[in-house]
Amino acid sequence: MILDFNNLVTNYKCDITGVIHIGGHHGQEYELYKQLNVPVLFFEPVASSFNILYNKVKHDPNITVYQCALGNENAYVYMNIETANNGQSSSILKPKKHLTHYPHIVFNSTERVSMFRLDDLDINLSIYNFINVDVQGYELEVFKGASNTLKNINYIISEVNNDELYEGCAYVDDIDNHLSQFSFKRVETIWSKNNWGDALYIKQ
């Protein structure tokens, strides 16, 4: 996440009651969420990253971790795995312009993982009103599988793209249009030099 989380919470007076973090990786945001003292769900499908995440947060009663991907179907899928960036660039989608922008990051294996629709999980999601999703171009599919969940969500941070870094990835306009159906407006965006970034959406 390249947005300044603490500044956003302060500037927009975000009253966060619970966090759903999709694409947890190694739990880099854990310390930020810990300050909120609210329930947090982490979803991370890749086994090696999940193990690091789990060991980091397992003693915190506010944190629950799930080893699965989220999308718009309940199925087994294959992740495209890289290790040069500690797995942070691994994605369900195949890399495209990512290979040009980051030639040192080589996707050299795949891993079969479980994927679920967020709406279909047997979890009481009514207390969570903030989603952070960072799934390397697959964000729109996550939102499509979370239509019911989005009714309770007030704040979203999502990775966004202005170029096809991964094959068939959603562009920022696609995410804007989809989330607008649930009364969300993009209020902050920060871009990297390689046409990906982070955006904050707030329900109007």
Side-chain angles (χ1 to χ4, degrees):
M1 183 168 62
I2 56 178
L3 284 170
D4 188 317
F5 179 76
N6 288 331
N7 280 349
L8 295 179
V9 170
T10 300
N11 292 343
Y12 290 95
K13 298 179 172 61
C14 299
D15 182 16
I16 296 174
T17 58
V19 174
I20 302 172
H21 190 108
I22 303 160
H25 193 240
H26 296 168
Q28 287 89 335
E29 289 79 13
Y30 169 58
E31 294 298 331
L32 295 174
Y33 300 152
K34 192 175 179 180
Q35 301 172 48
L36 300 173
N37 193 30
V38 299
V40 179
L41 305 179
F42 276 108
F43 293 87
E44 172 53 50
V46 178
S48 58
S49 293
F50 175 85
N51 290 336
I52 293 170
L53 170 63
Y54 175 76
N55 286 322
K56 178 181 287 188
V57 305
K58 64 182 179 182
H59 299 299
D60 190 330
N62 275 339
I63 311 296
T64 308
V65 293
Y66 295 90
Q67 188 179 350
C68 65
L70 296 181
N72 196 26
E73 60 179 331
N74 301 317
Y76 289 105
V77 296
Y78 284 89
M79 296 280 297
N80 298 284
I81 305 294
E82 58 78 22
T83 56
N85 194 29
N86 291 319
Q88 291 188 86
S89 299
S90 297
S91 176
I92 292 170
L93 303 177
K94 293 181 179 179
K96 190 172 181 179
K97 292 191 177 179
H98 195 286
L99 299 172
T100 303
H101 293 320
Y102 305 100
H104 64 287
I105 299 177
V106 178
F107 294 76
N108 48 16
S109 66
T110 59
E111 182 175 326
R112 187 173 184 254
V113 302
S114 299
M115 183 169 71
F116 299 99
R117 300 175 75 252
L118 185 56
D119 284 349
D120 293 344
L121 294 175
D122 187 20
I123 305 171
N124 179 9
L125 299 175
S126 61
I127 62 172
Y128 300 88
N129 71 343
F130 170 68
I131 286 178
N132 190 342
V133 56
D134 182 359
V135 290
Q136 307 304 308
Y138 209 66
E139 289 79 13
L140 182 57
E141 294 304 306
V142 172
F143 294 132
K144 287 179 178 178
S147 295
N148 289 330
T149 305
L150 288 175
K151 296 174 184 177
N152 296 319
I153 300 300
N154 295 320
Y155 317 102
I156 295 171
I157 290 178
S158 177
E159 186 169 292
V160 289
N161 290 281
N162 254 338
D163 205 350
E164 196 176 10
L165 273 75
Y166 295 84
E167 290 184 11
C169 71
Y171 283 58
V172 63
D173 289 345
D174 300 321
I175 294 178
D176 287 353
N177 291 336
H178 184 79
L179 292 180
S180 69
Q181 301 173 54
F182 302 90
S183 302
F184 284 97
K185 180 181 180 182
R186 177 160 51 97
V187 296
E188 291 270 353
T189 317
I190 185 169
W191 293 102
S192 75
K193 65 179 181 180
N194 289 321
N195 292 315
W196 64 270
D198 283 338
L200 171 67
Y201 294 83
I202 294 181
K203 185 170 285 181
Q204 303 301 295

